Amino acid sequence: MSALRYLTQSQVAALGGNDPQLAFDNVVETVKLMRKGEASMPAETHVNLAAPQGKVYALPARVGGGFNATGVKWTAHRPQAQDGYPMAMAMTLLNRADNGLPVALMQSGSLTATRTAAVSALALKYASPVPPRRILLLGAGVQACAHLKMLAAQFPELEQVDCWNRTPSHLDAMLDRAGSLPWPTQKLTSIEHALAQPWDTLITCTSASQPFIGPQFIQPGRMVMQTGYHEVSFEAIARADKVVVDGWGDYCNTSAKSLFQMYRADEFVKDRVAADLADLVVDNWRASPTDSVYFSSFGLNVFDIALAARVAQEAERQDVGTALPLEFALP
C-alpha cells in the first residue's frame, strides 16, 4: 500500500516553501530545464463556480531533472465570497514524473507568491537597465509581501524602498509583519506622490482593473515590473524600449494582464518581445543602461510545481506531513 503525503500551509512554510533564495534557485533551474525540453506547461483549463464570477483553475506542468515531478495546481478564485476565507485558495497535487506514482498534496497559496517574487528577482537582476537603487512597490497584499521579503533577501544593498497601497492600514500591517529591513522604507499615502518619487524600479502588485501607469513614467534607465492585473497603459508599454516577459504562450489569448489585452487589441505584436526568462538565464540577454524596460509577469505554474516538488522531497527527508493511504486493486 502506498501513501500520499499531505502538507498544510504552515508545514510548507517550515520546509522552506517561502524561502526567497531557494525559490530563486528553483526558478533558474526550471528555466534551464524548459530550454532543454525537460519541463513543460500545457494550457490551463477552468470551470465556473456557482458563485458569481467564481472560477476554479487547473494548471498542470511537468518538471524533470532533480525535481522529477508532474502535477497540477488547483486554484479556486472566489471574488464574492463572504465567509472569512481567502478569495483565492490553492492546492497542489504532485506525482513522480518518471513513473506517475502520487507523491504529495499540499496547500500552496504561499508558493505562488514566493515563486512570483523569485521571478521578479531574476528579472530585476538580469533585465534591469541599471543596478536597482530605489524601488517603488505598489500594493500590500500577498504578492507585495512576498516581493518585500524577496527584495530584503536578494537586494540588501538598495538605498530605499518606497511603498504605497490604496488602504493605508494594509500597508502598515505589511511593514509591521516585515520586521527589520536592510534599508529605509517610506510609506506614501498618495499614488501621485508615490509615482513622483525618484525611483528607478517600479513593481506593481495591485488588483487594479484600469491602468494608472502612463507613458510619462517610462524613462531611460528605468524598469517597470508588472505582476498585478491591468495597471500599465498600452501607451506606456508602447513607449518602452525593451519589453521582457516571463514567457509567451496560449494565455496571451485570455489573460487579463495589460500586455496580453494590448496584444488582443492588435496594438502589440509578439515580435516586439525582446527577451524571456530563458534569454536572460541561458543566453545572457541584457538591457542597455539607457533602455527603458517593461517586464510583464504572467505567472508560470511550472515554477509552482518545481517549488512544490522541492518541498515534498524535504518533507520526505524530514518525515513531515500526514500520510494518506492509497489503495490500488492489483491484478
Side-chain angles (χ1 to χ4, degrees), residues 1-6 94 101-104 322-328:
M1 184 168 63
S2 183
L4 183 76
R5 193 180 298 269
Y6 174 72
L94 291 179
L101 283 176
V103 174
T322 303
L324 305 177
L326 299 172
E327 297 183 0
F328 303 100

Side-chain angles (χ1 to χ4, degrees), residues 13 22 33 89 128 142 206 257:
L22 292 176
L33 291 168
M89 304 181 75
S128 180
V142 173
T206 80
K257 297 280 186 173

Side-chain angles (χ1 to χ4, degrees), residues 5-20:
R5 193 180 298 269
Y6 174 72
L7 299 170
T8 65
Q9 180 171 277
S10 60
Q11 289 171 329
V12 169
L15 291 164
N18 303 340
D19 185 291

